[in-house]
Structure formats: C-alpha cells, structure tokens
Amino acid sequence: MTTYVNVVQPAPRAYDGFMVHSNSAIAAPVGGVLADILRRPNPSRIRTELPVPTFVVLTETDAPGAAAARQPDTDSVVPWELAGTAHGDQWAYDAGEATVGKPAGLAAPSADCAAGSAPFNDGPGHWTMNAALRRLADWARGGRDRRAGSR
C-alpha cells in the first residue's frame, strides 16, 4: 500500500484518502522484482506532500518491523500505533462474530499448549481501525478532526 500511495496515487489521484494498515519499513517494488527493493529509499515513509489524507495504523505486533519508517504527524499523514493489538485480532479471525458469544472452551489453548491452539489476541484492534476509518472519511470530506486527541 505504501508503494501505491507514494508512486501510483500522485498521477491519477483516484482516491480521496488512504488508510495503510501496518506498513513495514520497506515498501514493495513497483515492478514486482524483489531486487528492486535495493533501489528504493529505505526506510519507506509515506510522502508528506500528498493532497489527500493518509492514516498509517500500526498494530503492536507490526510496530517493531515499521520502527525505522516512523514519521511525525503532518498535514497529510497521521500515524497511529495501537498498544496491545495484534495484526489480526480474534474479531478478524472470527470474521466479525462476537467473540464473547463463543463458548469459553473453544477459545482455550489445548492442555499441551500445542502451536496454534492458543486463542488469538482479543485486543480492541478492530475498534481502533473503525475509529481511524471514520476520522479518515471525515478528514477526506474536508473536516479537521483527524488526530486521536482532537475534538
């Protein structure tokens, strides 16, 4: 997504805003040739002169891989780092089914704690993503409420 925002979007201006979910410090190459990563600026940050708003939402699991690409809040780029969240939380795994409605036995790890038996992180990542999307939509329509602490 970082590559699209930085390289493709400036030409057609097809979108009014972007929400990048957990970018890493290295953007994908435009031509799809992995070796082209070496020719790209690394770490890869979101361009700050874009005429559209961009949220970069990093979950706690993804923040370490994107640490080198951290950038400050600007007029067009707003980064959010979500403490206590996983890239894909239990809600996403359940495809939106309310996790509280599941029997506790299904969410418990097996007695031997075998790999893959433990439940997914049930942190509120999806709620924060929803909040970021709402703020992005407001901002793209001309609103000024774009930061977590603004009113």
Side-chain angles (χ1 to χ4, degrees):
M1 192 66 177
T2 300
T3 300
Y4 186 90
V5 171
N6 286 342
V7 179
V8 180
Q9 167 66 14
R13 295 185 181 193
Y15 296 96
D16 296 328
F18 294 97
M19 186 164 80
V20 179
H21 177 256
S22 295
N23 67 332
S24 73
I26 300 172
V30 175
V33 178
L34 211 48
D36 286 346
I37 288 175
L38 301 174
R39 290 182 261 249
R40 304 271 314 138
N42 290 311
S44 298
R45 295 178 177 92
I46 302 294
R47 295 168 66 148
T48 57
E49 78 281 359
L50 291 172
V52 298
T54 302
F55 264 90
V56 178
V57 183
L58 290 169
T59 64
E60 185 171 332
T61 354
D62 299 316
R70 276 191 176 118
Q71 61 190 103
D73 196 27
T74 70
D75 288 338
S76 64
V77 179
V78 174
W80 278 10
E81 291 186 12
L82 314 178
T85 58
H87 181 81
D89 60 13
Q90 185 69 48
W91 182 88
Y93 178 75
D94 292 340
E97 178 186 334
T99 56
V100 294
K102 291 179 12 176
L106 294 178
S110 66
D112 62 356
C113 294
S117 70
F120 283 77
N121 179 317
D122 210 5
H126 65 282
W127 296 112
T128 312
M129 294 296 287
N130 289 347
L133 185 57
R134 181 180 53 84
R135 289 180 184 270
L136 175 63
D138 291 344
W139 186 15
R141 285 190 218 104
R144 290 189 272 170
D145 187 19
R146 60 187 180 84
R147 294 188 179 106
S150 64
R151 299 199 182 258

